Amino acid sequence: MGSSTKVGINGNYDYSFKILLIGDSGVGKSSILLSFISNSLHDLSPTIGVDFKIKLLSVGGKRLKLTIWDTAGQERFGTVISSYYRGAHGIILVYDVTRRETFTNLSNTWAKEVELYSTNQECVKILVGNKVDKDKERAVTREEGIALAQEHESLFLECSAKTRENVQQCFKDLVLKILEVPSLLENGSTVVKRQTMKQKQVHHSSRGSGCCLN
């Protein structure tokens, strides 16, 4: 699963999916995203509000555009980011395996927000325990993670943004599951059709303007 050079940014893809990264501040959401998007990792300051990145790739013969939203974990941004749950096809719930409170907050806070604000009822969720490179400091067992994922009907994976272990796999598992859900496929293709229509309208308008374009 890698980005495809044949996939064009201007609508030359089959599906467009919106992915959210959520969880407490400091669990490594931005590091996971950077590890997936690029080939380099560097020190990251906490995300303020919301940031997003676009990843183009081919999976199972389908060309995909992923718009991945990295939401700030601070509670004061909770009401601000609620609108970003709207239309999400996949949600990655991240906790730090060395900080137990980040794990319990997935149930106490984040899973409740997903249930409250998510507009796609069949939205695919994956529970991700980050920082397994710090196994000696582990405060949450793998078995506990699996149990919580089953409770919330989510996929499950442990990873390390630092060593890149399972980061690519996390997104691959999520996307493959989304591709199995007919309602999400229909929604994702509708976005592509809408964007294509807009591009055609802009192109037609530009041609009609002739020499009067500035």
Side-chain angles (χ1 to χ4, degrees):
M1 172 184 172
S3 59
S4 171
T5 55
K6 295 181 180 179
V7 183
I9 191 71
N10 294 318
N12 187 23
Y13 38 83
D14 300 304
Y15 300 105
S16 178
F17 295 136
K18 179 179 180 181
I19 309 296
L20 296 185
L21 277 159
I22 63 174
D24 285 4
S25 180
V27 295
K29 299 185 299 295
S30 297
S31 295
I32 288 173
L33 177 54
L34 187 65
S35 179
F36 178 59
I37 293 292
S38 69
N39 295 319
S40 62
L41 274 175
H42 52 78
D43 290 334
L44 293 167
S45 57
T47 305
I48 303 299
V50 177
D51 185 21
F52 73 91
K53 297 285 189 292
I54 292 174
K55 178 81 168 180
L56 302 170
L57 54 118
S58 294
V59 178
K62 298 297 183 182
R63 298 163 300 175
L64 310 177
K65 173 187 175 184
L66 303 185
T67 304
I68 308 165
W69 294 88
D70 176 17
T71 53
Q74 294 92 335
E75 284 188 10
R76 65 178 179 276
F77 290 113
T79 55
V80 177
I81 66 172
S82 63
S83 62
Y84 291 97
Y85 283 93
R86 191 175 300 120
H89 302 89
I91 300 179
I92 303 173
L93 298 102
V94 186
Y95 67 95
D96 178 345
V97 299
T98 71
R99 293 165 54 207
R100 190 163 191 84
E101 71 276 10
T102 67
F103 178 72
T104 56
N105 283 343
L106 287 186
S107 287
N108 297 339
T109 302
W110 299 104
K112 290 179 180 178
E113 281 202 359
V114 171
E115 190 174 339
L116 192 61
Y117 297 116
S118 179
T119 55
N120 284 331
Q121 295 301 313
E122 295 184 274
C123 175
V124 178
K125 297 169 290 183
I126 182 169
L127 194 69
V128 175
N130 188 31
K131 305 188 182 181
V132 292
D133 53 283
K134 297 183 177 180
D135 198 56
K136 291 181 180 178
E137 302 171 39
R138 181 186 283 270
V140 182
T141 67
R142 177 179 174 81
E143 289 70 28
E144 286 176 304
I146 292 172
L148 186 63
Q150 290 175 341
E151 181 184 334
H152 291 284
E153 299 180 335
S154 304
L155 302 171
F156 175 77
L157 201 64
E158 288 189 335
C159 76
S160 168
K162 185 175 182 179
T163 66
R164 301 180 183 278
E165 179 186 349
N166 276 345
V167 170
Q168 297 287 329
Q169 193 66 40
C170 164
F171 287 88
K172 182 177 181 180
D173 288 354
L174 184 68
V175 169
L176 286 173
K177 189 66 176 178
I178 291 173
L179 289 170
E180 293 177 3
V181 183
S183 65
L184 297 181
L185 288 184
E186 182 180 352
N187 185 283
S189 61
T190 300
V191 173
V192 174
K193 291 173 184 175
R194 192 183 305 131
Q195 291 172 344
T196 303
M197 283 292 290
K198 285 182 180 178
Q199 287 156 10
K200 287 181 178 178
Q201 288 170 0
V202 169
H203 181 66
H204 181 74
S205 176
S206 297
R207 290 180 62 185
S209 299
C211 63
C212 300
L213 281 173
N214 291 326

